Structure formats: C-alpha cells, structure tokens
Amino acid sequence: MATVKDGERTAVPNLRARPARRPGPRRYTRRDRLVLGVLLGLPILLDLALIWGPTFASVGLSFTTWDGIGDIRWAGLKNYDHLFTGYPQFWPAVRHNLLWLAFLGLLAAPFGLLLAVLIDRGVRFSRFYQSTLYMPVVLSLAVVGFIAQLILSRDQGALNAVLGSKNPTDWLGDPGLNIWMVLLAACWRHTGYVMILYLAGLKSVDPGLKEAAALDGASARQTFFRVVLPTLRPVNVIVGVITVIESLRAFDIVYAVNNGRNGLELLSVLVTDNIIGEASRIGFGSALAVVLLLVSLGFIVTYLVQELRGERRR
C-alpha cells in the first residue's frame, strides 16, 4: 500500500462535476447576414413586386378611370356601379363560374374518388388505368381546349364525323351547348388530378381500421363511408381547395375555344378583355379583378376558419 510521508502534501482531486457551459446565441458573421438577406430578401421582394404590388395597385385603380396612357382620374364607385347594373356580360360570367365550381365539385371530384377506390382495390391493369387517367393532368387547359376543338368542331370535328349527320351540331358555337362541352373537357382533366390525390390518401389508411370494421360486421360500403372516408378528411380539404381554385382561375380553355365569348364568358376573361383588350379600360378591369379577389378570399377565409376550428377540437 502506498504511504504518505510526513510533510508531504497530496493533491486532493476535485470530485465536483463542473457545470457544462451552455452555448450562447450564435453570432452571425457578415457573410451569414449577407446569405440570409439574399435567401430571404429576394423571395420577399419578388412576392411584393409580383403579387402584393399588383394586388394593391388593382384595388386603387378600381376607383379610377384610366386607359393606360392618359391621366388617372378619380371615379369613386362608378366602376362598381356600372359593373353590377350596366355591364351585361358580368352576371352571365358569375353564373358560369358558379356552374364551373358546381360541375367540378359535384361531378369530377366524386368520379375521381370512385376511380381511386376501384384502382386501390387492385383491379387488373391498375397501373395502366392510373397512368392513362392521370395523363390529361400534365396537359395545360389551353391544350385541352385545342383538343376539344379537334373533337367538337362543327365542320371538321371527330364527333360529327362519327355521327355522320347531314346537319352537324355546332357543339362549340351554340351558346346553349358550348359551356357544357367545355365543362366536360375540364372535368376530364380535373378527374385525374382528384384521383391521384385520393389514391395517395387511400394508400395511407391504416389497414387495421378496415379489419376492425370487418370484425364488427360492417359491410364494405359501411366500412368505406364510416371508417375510410372520415380518415380522408385532409385529402377532402385539399380537393375542395383545388376545385375552388380551378373554377375561379379557369381561363385558358375557354380562350382557346372562342376567346371566352358567345356563351363562355368567365370573370377572368372579362378582366383580360378590359385591361389588355381593345377597350383598355384598366380602371373598370381592375374593379372586375377586385370582385374576383373578394370571391377568392371568401373561400380562403372560410377554409382557414374551418381548419382552425378543427385544430382546436383536436
């Protein structure tokens, strides 16, 4: 054993554990500030310049009369008064936008859900069906409009050629028919998008829920409506938002068919015709754009309120 001689001092080790230093706030160098400024500042500037700037400019110009060249003159609410009372194309355009929303929401969305359920059950050639039905989604609405012209044209359309009638139907020229034909073309594209969204949602459903429902004696229909469909609530919200956006921003397909006229008037087309068309009534076109903005905000605010209420309940 080691002995300690008299007069010798031994070092007593400090058994107390030193508290670890807590790292303070990181000090950013000048280079770090420069990188953050570029990465955050440029998107903010682009957002302000391309979105919020034109938005507030449109709101301000909606109370003026301006042709884009002369002086800007204050008009007050005259543009809105003329819009609601003296502009005959406005209310048909509003009706067509609402019809667009109802058609996509009540026909295309449920049909997309049905196709997703059938493909999810593992039918034969499901990959082929999935790719074929999704293919229209990669096409722009303008291309869909050109395809509609090739099929539905009065003189050289494929549909009239197949029907072989002596008096061919003017599917795109008749104001009583063209809106329905264009809506069918839009639904053809929208259905594939909805199908992919619901198919992704169905793949994420816990199989144990279906098995538990089957053990409780629930039929396949009851399992879907009472177990599977409630779990698809986030997908339902996304589909609803996309459907509203598609119905309000519809422009390409009707403009490709007949410049959005003769029964195909939409609010977006009226905005374009008044701002960059021959009339060049920027103040009046801005009033139309503000109305479209308010309608969009109505749906967005409703969606956000429902989402916040759902989060609180959870």
Side-chain angles (χ1 to χ4, degrees), residues 205-214 223 227 231:
V205 175
D206 187 3
L209 297 175
K210 300 179 183 179
E211 296 176 0
T223 301
V227 177
T231 60

Side-chain angles (χ1 to χ4, degrees), residues 96-113 141 179-180 182-194 198 239-250 253:
H96 291 162
N97 273 106
L98 293 177
L99 183 62
W100 209 283
L101 175 60
F103 212 78
L104 294 184
L106 300 179
L107 184 63
F111 190 56
L113 174 60
L141 281 174
I179 185 65
W180 303 106
V182 171
L183 281 173
L184 286 176
C187 282
W188 172 61
R189 181 179 182 272
H190 191 65
T191 299
Y193 197 5
V194 174
Y198 275 120
V239 170
V241 172
I242 291 175
T243 301
V244 171
I245 293 174
E246 287 289 330
S247 63
L248 292 178
R249 76 177 184 90
I253 184 170

Side-chain angles (χ1 to χ4, degrees), residues 205 207 209-215 217-231:
V205 175
L209 297 175
K210 300 179 183 179
E211 296 176 0
L215 291 176
S219 62
R221 182 178 180 181
Q222 292 174 337
T223 301
F224 176 75
F225 284 102
R226 297 184 181 182
V227 177
V228 177
L229 192 58
T231 60

Side-chain angles (χ1 to χ4, degrees), residues 22-34:
R22 296 181 180 179
R26 179 182 175 183
R27 296 181 179 180
Y28 293 101
T29 63
R30 181 178 297 179
R31 182 179 179 181
D32 294 336
R33 294 192 185 97
L34 180 61

Side-chain angles (χ1 to χ4, degrees), residues 25-276:
R26 179 182 175 183
R27 296 181 179 180
Y28 293 101
T29 63
R30 181 178 297 179
R31 182 179 179 181
D32 294 336
R33 294 192 185 97
L34 180 61
V35 172
L36 288 175
V38 171
L39 295 180
L40 295 178
L42 285 180
I44 293 175
L45 289 177
L46 289 175
D47 187 63
L48 292 175
L50 300 179
I51 297 179
W52 292 106
T55 299
F56 289 119
S58 298
V59 174
L61 290 173
S62 66
F63 298 100
T64 65
T65 56
W66 187 40
D67 59 358
I69 299 176
D71 297 333
I72 300 177
R73 298 180 181 178
W74 181 259
L77 297 176
K78 290 183 180 180
N79 288 330
Y80 292 97
D81 180 62
H82 177 62
L83 178 64
F84 290 110
T85 59
Y87 191 55
Q89 293 91 341
F90 175 71
W91 291 112
V94 173
R95 185 169 61 251
H96 291 162
N97 273 106
L98 293 177
L99 183 62
W100 209 283
L101 175 60
F103 212 78
L104 294 184
L106 300 179
L107 184 63
F111 190 56
L113 174 60
L114 175 62
L115 292 176
V117 172
L118 294 177
I119 293 176
D120 183 63
R121 290 182 177 179
V123 296
R124 295 184 61 184
F125 309 111
S126 60
R127 293 293 180 87
F128 171 76
Y129 295 143
Q130 181 177 339
S131 302
T132 304
L133 293 170
Y134 184 73
M135 191 176 298
V137 181
V138 303
L139 303 176
S140 67
L141 281 174
V143 175
V144 175
F146 292 133
I147 294 174
Q149 282 186 321
L150 294 176
I151 298 175
L152 302 173
S153 177
R154 180 181 182 275
D155 298 324
Q156 300 177 352
L159 181 59
N160 283 332
V162 171
L163 295 177
S165 176
K166 295 182 179 180
N167 296 320
T169 304
D170 194 359
W171 300 103
L172 298 178
D174 187 352
L177 292 175
N178 54 11
I179 185 65
W180 303 106
M181 297 298 105
V182 171
L183 281 173
L184 286 176
C187 282
W188 172 61
R189 181 179 182 272
H190 191 65
T191 299
Y193 197 5
V194 174
M195 178 200 69
I196 289 297
L197 292 176
Y198 275 120
L199 193 59
L202 290 171
K203 296 296 183 182
S204 63
V205 175
D206 187 3
L209 297 175
K210 300 179 183 179
E211 296 176 0
L215 291 176
D216 290 339
S219 62
R221 182 178 180 181
Q222 292 174 337
T223 301
F224 176 75
F225 284 102
R226 297 184 181 182
V227 177
V228 177
L229 192 58
T231 60
L232 295 177
R233 183 180 178 276
V235 183
N236 294 333
V237 173
I238 295 174
V239 170
V241 172
I242 291 175
T243 301
V244 171
I245 293 174
E246 287 289 330
S247 63
L248 292 178
R249 76 177 184 90
F251 170 82
D252 314 43
I253 184 170
V254 296
Y255 212 80
V257 171
N258 63 355
N259 294 331
R261 299 172 183 173
N262 191 28
L264 294 180
E265 295 83 1
L266 294 174
L267 290 175
S268 57
V269 176
L270 297 183
V271 173
T272 304
D273 287 343
N274 282 276
I275 291 181
I276 64 175

